[in-house]
Amino acid sequence: MDHSSLDDDRPVAARCPRCASRTEWESVVDIYGERWLAVCRCGWLQAFLPDEPHLEFDDPLTAFLLGTRRTVAPPAPPWIRLFLRSTEQPWKARWRYSEEPCAACAERVRFELQVCPRPFWIGTCTLCLACGRVTTEYSQPLQNLHELAVTGTRWTPPCPAVQRLRDCILRPYAVRRHDDG
C-alpha cells in the first residue's frame, strides 16, 4: 500500500505501534467496498476502509473480511448443531417428536431417539431443542435390565448425559429405524 497517497489525517500505520516493524498491507475489493488490512509479524492488525477512514475497529480482521455493513450471525447453540448434523449422512438419525413438555423449561420441543450403543442394549435419548436438556437411558429388554436415566444440560465440557447422547449419535452400534407413520 502506498502510504504517500493517503491524507495525513487518516489513521493508518506504516509501522507497528507494538514492535515498530514495517506492516504488510493486503486489500480486497468486492461488492461490499474496498478494505485494507495491516498485518505485523508480532500479530498486530489494523483495518482501514477508505469509505470510512476514521473508523477504528475492535476486531480488525472481521472488519477487513466483512466490512461494516455485514455482521456475523451468532452461532446456533451446540444442541441445535448436533441435532441438525445428526439428521445428515452418515448418521441419518430418525428423531421422533415427543409430546411431553421439557421438565426444565416446559417447552414442547422435545425429540426422542433410540439407538443401540452397544450389542443388546437400547439407548433412549431425549433432547429439548429449546434449552438443550438431555436425558439418556440404557436398557437391555431381553434381560429386563435398566440403567438409571442420566440428565443434564452442560454442553461444554459435556456432562455425562450430553456425552452419552453424542456417543449414541456419533458412534452408535446400530441406529433403530422407525417408520414415519
Side-chain angles (χ1 to χ4, degrees), residues 24-147:
E24 296 291 326
W25 286 87
E26 298 290 334
S27 68
V28 67
V29 179
D30 57 17
I31 61 171
Y32 300 103
E34 180 180 5
R35 300 178 305 281
W36 289 85
L37 181 69
V39 181
C40 180
R41 280 182 256 150
C42 74
W44 177 82
L45 302 172
Q46 178 185 5
F48 174 74
L49 282 66
D51 294 339
E52 304 175 63
H54 295 289
L55 287 180
E56 292 186 29
F57 303 97
D58 293 332
D59 186 354
L61 185 58
T62 299
F64 173 72
L65 293 173
L66 299 178
T68 59
R69 293 177 187 87
R70 295 185 293 165
T71 59
V72 177
W79 57 89
I80 300 293
R81 294 193 308 263
L82 178 70
F83 178 79
L84 292 173
R85 189 53 162 297
S86 72
T87 63
E88 299 172 353
Q89 290 291 356
W91 304 285
K92 289 297 262 180
R94 310 254 330 250
W95 291 92
R96 299 193 108 182
Y97 174 70
S98 175
E99 294 179 4
E100 295 178 30
C102 174
C105 70
E107 295 293 330
R108 292 183 181 272
V109 287
R110 288 179 63 232
F111 285 80
E112 185 175 285
L113 174 71
Q114 286 190 329
V115 298
C116 294
R118 54 188 182 249
F120 308 108
W121 285 87
I122 295 174
T124 302
C125 307
T126 59
L127 171 63
C128 175
L129 296 184
C131 70
R133 183 175 196 258
V134 172
T135 301
T136 58
E137 183 177 2
Y138 288 3
S139 63
Q140 195 176 37
L142 296 175
Q143 294 187 7
N144 199 25
L145 295 174
H146 299 273
E147 292 182 3

